[in-house]
Amino acid sequence: MRVLAQMAMVMNLDKCIGCHTCSVTCKQAWTNRPGAEYAWFNNVETRPGQGFPRTYEDQGRWRGGWTLNRRGRLTLKAGGRLRRLLRIFANPRLPALRDYYEPWTYDYQNLISAPSGDDIPTARPVSLTDGEPATITWSANWDDNLGGGPELAVHDPVLRAMSERIKLEFAQTFMFYLPRICEHCLNPSCVASCPSGAIYKRAEDGIVLVDSNTCRSWRMCVTGCPYKKVFLNHRTGKAEKCTFCFPRIEQGIPTVCAQTCVGRLRYIGVVLYDADRVLAAASEPDERALFEAQKQVLLDPADDEVRLAAARSGISPDWIEAAQRSPVHKLIFDFGLALPLHPEYRTLPMVWYIPPLSPVVDALRDTGFDGEDAANLFAAVDALRIPIEYLASLFTAGDPEPVRNVLCRMAAMRAYMRDTTLGGTANESIPVSVGMTGPQMRDMYRLLAIAKAEDRYVIPRGHAEPSDVHDEGCSLDVAGGPGMGSGRVDLFTWDGKSRPAGLFRERDAT
C-alpha cells in the first residue's frame, strides 16, 4: 500500500444559484491576461446544455480520457505513442476558437472621440484576438438558464445518448447549474498525453500543474483532457490550466472560487488514497462499476494501518489529522452524498458533486401536498422532472441507484430536520430508512446547511515557508497576471483582514 495525499473538492449543486461569482473571481485572478481571454479555469454551465467548450463531453469527437483496448488494457482514447507522434505537428482533435468563443471587448474610445452629429455613437464589439470588429455569436455562458430549450438541449451530448422519453421530458423541465474546474484526477489523461512531460501531478497534494518552461505547445494535453480544462495561451504558446490556487492552498487558504462562492456550496479537504490501486480501478471493465472502484482507491484516515502507511510514505501528522477531519471524505463516505463527474472517462476525478434536489419540494407544493413530508418526498424522487437517468449519465456512468440513494438521503434530511427544528418529535425511522442514524443526519445537516468556513475548508498548510513560496514566483507572472514575487500586492494569499502596504492609498497626514 503506497499512501498519497490528494486535495479534493465537493460541490453541492443543490445550493448553486448560477451567479458566476466563482467564474469572475477566478478570471480576474488567473486568466485576465493577453492570450488567455477565452480561457475560463472555472465556469458554470446550465444543464442540459452544450457546456464549455461546446459539446466537450462528446468523446467520440474529441477522443479525451482513457479507454480499454481489446486486451483489456488501459490506453488513451486519442491513441498510443506512435499515433500521437505522427500527429504531433497537426493535431486534428482540438476545439476551435468557435467551440470556445471569440473573446471581445467594446470600442469605448469611439464614445469619447466620435465627432458631434445627429447620430448617437456606439461602442461596437471588437475581437480581443485580432482587434477587428466582431460579431458576437457565442460565449462561455451563452445558454445560461436556457437548459430546457429544445433548440439548445438537442446539442447536449449526454441528452443525445438518452431515450426519446427522457428527451420529451426535458422539453418541459427545469435546468440546474454545474460549476466546473479541473478535476485534478488521480489518473490524469492530460499528464499521460503530454510528449514533453510539462504537465505533472504533485506528489505532496495531488494538484496537477503545467511547467511552462517545459511546455512545447504540442497541445496533446488539450486533446487528452476529456473535461477540456487545459487551454493554450495563443500569445505565449504555453498550456495553462486550473492550479487549484496552489499558492493559497500551501498557506491553508481555500481557492478563490471557493472563498468567493455566494452559495457556500464548495468543500475542500484532504483525502488519502492508495496509489497502487489506481491502475486497477481505472481498468475496471464495467463502466457502471467505476464509481465504486474509485471509492475503493480512497482510504479511511481513521484506520490505524492507513495512518502508519501514510507516515511511512512521508505524509506529516497534520495532514493525516486534516484527512480525518476532511469534509470531502465525510460527504463521500460518512454521508454517501458526493459523486464524481463522468467516471466513465477513467481519469478518477477528484472534484465530486452532490446532485440537486430542490425542485422536488417546489413541484410537490404546487400540487397541494406538503413538500417537506418524508413520504411525499420519497415518492417524488422517482418522478423528478429532471430524470434520474440524466443525473446518472453525468455522475455514475448511467447507474441510477447511487443517484437515487443520494436524493433519498437529502429528502430524508429535509423531512427529519423539519420535525426537529419545529419542535416536534424527531421521527427516527426517517434516517433509518436511508441507512443512517439520527446523529449522522444531524451532522450531515450541519455540514450542508450551517457549517462555518473552518468546517467547509480543512486545508493543512504546506511545509515550505511562505517567504519561500513568494520567492519562487509564479509561471503566470506575465502581463497583468498574478504577479507573485513581482513587488505588487499578493492578493492570492491575502487573508482579507490585514492591511498590506500598497493595497490601499495612504491618507495624507496633513
Side-chain angles (χ1 to χ4, degrees):
M1 179 166 57
R2 185 162 61 98
V3 181
L4 293 178
Q6 171 76 42
M7 294 304 305
M9 181 182 290
V10 171
M11 302 192 203
N12 185 359
L13 301 184
D14 206 38
K15 299 172 71 175
C16 184
I17 61 175
C19 65
H20 295 276
T21 303
C22 53
S23 299
V24 172
T25 52
C26 176
K27 183 68 168 177
Q28 291 297 319
W30 289 106
T31 58
N32 191 21
R33 292 171 287 108
E37 299 93 346
Y38 78 102
W40 294 81
F41 291 172
N42 183 110
N43 71 288
V44 181
E45 301 168 357
T46 298
R47 305 310 302 255
Q50 300 183 63
F52 174 76
R54 281 188 272 197
T55 69
Y56 71 92
E57 292 161 304
D58 185 359
Q59 302 311 328
R61 177 186 181 189
W62 302 120
R63 312 297 292 173
W66 301 89
T67 188
L68 297 180
N69 61 21
R70 286 177 291 182
R71 293 181 292 176
R73 304 176 73 173
L74 200 65
T75 183
L76 289 169
K77 225 168 194 179
R81 293 183 180 179
L82 179 59
R83 179 176 295 182
R84 284 182 285 127
L85 180 62
L86 293 174
R87 296 178 174 178
I88 199 167
F89 295 109
N91 182 4
R93 301 289 185 179
L94 291 172
L97 189 60
R98 63 178 177 274
D99 295 310
Y100 297 99
Y101 73 103
E102 184 170 4
W104 73 89
T105 185
Y106 293 95
D107 185 11
Y108 297 110
Q109 185 62 32
N110 186 54
L111 299 178
I112 302 172
S113 59
S116 300
D118 296 332
D119 298 325
I120 299 176
T122 60
R124 297 182 300 173
V126 178
S127 171
L128 285 172
T129 57
D130 58 15
E132 298 297 324
T135 300
I136 302 172
T137 59
W138 189 259
S139 76
N141 61 338
W142 192 260
D143 53 357
D144 252 13
N145 303 332
L146 300 176
E151 296 84 2
L152 294 175
V154 70
H155 300 294
D156 183 340
V158 176
L159 188 60
R160 193 186 308 145
M162 303 182 75
S163 68
E164 290 300 324
R165 178 186 66 83
I166 302 300
K167 295 178 184 179
L168 182 62
E169 289 183 19
F170 259 98
Q172 308 170 24
T173 192
F174 65 94
M175 78 284 173
F176 67 97
Y177 301 107
L178 181 69
R180 290 201 307 117
I181 63 172
C182 168
E183 299 288 330
H184 296 278
C185 309
L186 299 183
N187 184 38
S189 52
C190 61
V191 173
S193 300
C194 180
S196 60
I199 300 187
Y200 62 99
K201 186 173 180 66
R202 299 207 307 189
E204 61 268 31
D205 54 19
I207 295 176
V208 178
L209 298 174
V210 180
D211 181 354
S212 297
N213 293 325
T214 308
C215 178
R216 294 295 179 266
S217 307
W218 301 125
R219 295 172 290 177
M220 293 295 176
C221 54
V222 179
T223 300
C225 175
Y227 304 96
K228 291 296 173 279
K229 277 301 177 179
V230 183
F231 303 87
L232 180 76
N233 186 311
H234 60 84
R235 292 285 188 93
T236 64
K238 304 294 185 178
E240 297 181 3
K241 61 177 294 298
C242 162
T243 66
F244 212 81
C245 289
F246 71 91
R248 297 172 60 95
I249 294 294
E250 288 172 351
Q251 300 193 44
I253 305 174
T255 62
V256 170
C257 61
Q259 190 159 47
T260 59
C261 175
V262 173
R264 301 194 303 175
L265 60 96
R266 301 186 186 223
Y267 300 81
I268 300 176
V270 178
V271 295
L272 302 179
Y273 72 97
D274 185 356
D276 292 335
R277 298 184 190 175
V278 169
L279 178 60
S283 303
E284 167 61 47
D286 183 3
E287 286 190 345
R288 291 195 171 195
L290 283 167
F291 163 55
E292 288 297 333
Q294 180 171 351
K295 289 179 66 175
Q296 295 302 315
V297 175
L298 306 182
L299 302 172
D300 182 2
D303 185 272
D304 291 336
E305 184 180 350
V306 171
R307 292 204 304 269
L308 291 174
R312 287 195 300 268
S313 298
I315 300 176
S316 62
D318 57 329
W319 277 66
I320 298 174
E321 189 268 338
Q324 293 173 334
R325 297 189 296 113
S326 171
V328 173
H329 189 274
K330 291 177 182 177
L331 291 169
I332 295 174
F333 291 99
D334 297 354
F335 306 140
L337 297 178
L339 305 171
L341 180 63
H342 289 300
E344 69 273 17
Y345 296 161
R346 301 180 182 273
T347 61
L348 307 187
M350 289 313 298
V351 176
W352 294 46
Y353 294 87
I354 301 175
L357 177 69
S358 295
V360 178
V361 177
D362 298 337
L364 287 171
R365 188 181 298 116
D366 291 343
T367 59
F369 291 96
D370 184 352
E372 300 285 357
D373 183 79
N376 293 336
L377 278 173
F378 289 156
V381 164
D382 284 315
L384 279 168
R385 293 192 66 190
I386 175 171
I388 289 180
E389 290 86 346
Y390 184 81
L391 296 174
S393 296
L394 285 175
F395 303 121
T396 56
D399 185 2
E401 282 308 310
V403 177
R404 185 177 289 109
N405 293 337
V406 171
L407 297 180
C408 284
R409 288 195 170 196
M410 296 177 67
M413 182 193 70
R414 293 189 179 192
Y416 180 79
M417 292 308 302
R418 184 187 70 158
D419 291 345
T420 303
T421 304
L422 295 181
T425 302
N427 185 354
E428 297 298 333
S429 66
I430 295 178
V432 171
S433 66
V434 292
M436 299 182 70
T437 64
Q440 277 184 314
M441 190 149 284
R442 288 191 289 272
D443 288 343
M444 184 172 80
Y445 167 76
R446 281 193 288 269
L447 184 58
L448 292 182
I450 59 176
K452 301 292 186 181
E454 57 266 25
D455 299 317
R456 290 182 285 118
Y457 313 130
V458 181
I459 307 169
R461 290 175 62 98
H463 289 280
E465 293 298 324
S467 59
D468 295 336
V469 176
H470 285 259
D471 291 343
E472 289 177 4
C474 178
S475 62
L476 303 183
D477 183 18
V478 290
M484 295 189 62
S486 63
R488 295 190 293 271
V489 176
D490 179 10
L491 295 180
F492 275 128
T493 54
W494 180 43
D495 59 8
K497 300 176 183 178
S498 59
R499 186 185 175 92
L503 179 59
F504 302 105
R505 184 176 180 181
E506 299 297 332
R507 295 180 178 178
D508 191 344
T510 59

